[in-house]
Structures are given as structure tokens and as C-alpha cells.
Amino acid sequence: YDLDRTNLPATLKFVAKGTVLRLVTGGKAQVVKTAKVTEKAAKAATTLKIVSGSLFQVNDKIAGATISAITSSDGVDTLTVSELANEVAANAIVSDYDKTKDVLLGFSYDTLDVRDQESSIAATPTLQVMEVEEDSLPYPINDEIKEGIRANGIALFKIQ
């Protein structure tokens, strides 16, 4: 699959091996963005705090809300978002994955160099993984993502 980079930060140099990929328009692969929430956010809240280092940017969707601003301090990104439709628990893994419309391809088999913005980049998803150690993945995943990956391939997750 060609990698669709339209949802990636312009400063990103590499897409790490083990990053979750989804199928998008035109038969391309795109990165699924995830993050771990650092503190509980109530329903209708307009801020969400996540662990720094995610790929989320302004105008992205996260937990069903749209990000309008991001500030960082001491390893935490505070996102200003449209009202959250639901409460989000501390330590929950949130993403831009929509299980009602997204088709997950699997995990990126290789680390991809995305510095050259002019060239197409081939992304190879893994369709069968016999043991996934979640702690070794570059970004956290949740149960919805696990189910989405298993829907089209085989992924056995190690009990943590």
C-alpha cells in the first residue's frame, strides 16, 4: 500500500514499526493515531490531557471531538477540543479510529522514513502476528483497535 501522509505532522521523520494502519480512499494505508489519557475528562468537557508524544495535531478528531489547540508541559499535552460526547477515564487509550467506517490493515511491518515528501512510500501491514507485546508498540492501542485488527487478520495479544 502507498502510505497516505496527509494526517501526519510535517515534522515527523519516521513511522515506527508496529504503528497501526488503516485503509483509506484510493487504496492507501494511513496511520491510526492513539494516545493515553492522563486524567479523567467529564462528558461535555472541552479539554483532554494526554501523554506527550502522540501524532495528534490541531483539527484532528480524538475521542469523537475535534482538536482546536494543543499545549505541552511536563510530558502532558493539553488538548482544547469540541465538547466530548462521553466521559473519558484516566489511563484510557483514545484514538481517531472509527470502528463503524475504518478498515484496519494491521501493524506496520517496517519503520518507514517519511522525510522525503515527494516520493511515494510503500507501507506493508502485517496480516498475521502470533504474539503482540503491547508494551513494545510505539503507540498504545485499545480493545476496539484489537478487534478491528482481528477482523481482517490474525493478532494474538499477550496477556499483560
Side-chain angles (χ1 to χ4, degrees), residues 1 104-107 109 124-129 149 152-155:
Y1 297 90
L104 295 183
L105 297 170
F107 301 102
Y109 183 74
T124 304
T126 56
L127 298 177
Q128 184 171 348
V129 181
I149 289 171
N152 298 308
I154 298 170

Side-chain angles (χ1 to χ4, degrees), residues 64-80:
T66 302
I67 301 169
S68 59
I70 301 173
T71 57
S72 298
S73 178
D74 298 324
V76 175
D77 289 348
T78 301
L79 313 178
T80 303

Side-chain angles (χ1 to χ4, degrees), residues 39-60:
E39 65 182 58
K40 177 182 167 183
K43 180 178 181 177
T46 56
T47 59
L48 184 64
K49 294 187 177 193
I50 62 171
V51 174
S52 290
S54 78
L55 299 176
F56 283 104
Q57 309 174 88
V58 170
N59 296 321
D60 282 349

Side-chain angles (χ1 to χ4, degrees), residues 1 3-5 7-9 12-23 29-35 53-56 95-97 103-114 122-127 129 132-142 145-146 149 155 157:
Y1 297 90
L3 181 66
D4 176 352
R5 294 176 272 184
N7 74 332
L8 297 176
L12 187 68
K13 295 178 181 177
F14 300 96
V15 172
K17 176 181 182 175
T19 301
V20 177
L21 302 172
R22 72 174 143 230
L23 184 66
Q30 186 181 65
V31 169
V32 173
K33 298 178 182 181
T34 65
S54 78
L55 299 176
F56 283 104
S95 73
D96 65 353
Y97 169 59
V103 174
L104 295 183
L105 297 170
F107 301 102
S108 176
Y109 183 74
D110 292 310
T111 296
L112 306 172
D113 185 338
V114 294
T124 304
T126 56
L127 298 177
V129 181
V132 178
E133 292 189 29
E134 291 178 57
D135 291 344
S136 70
L137 295 174
Y139 302 103
I141 60 173
N142 57 28
I145 291 172
K146 291 177 192 177
I149 289 171
F157 293 89

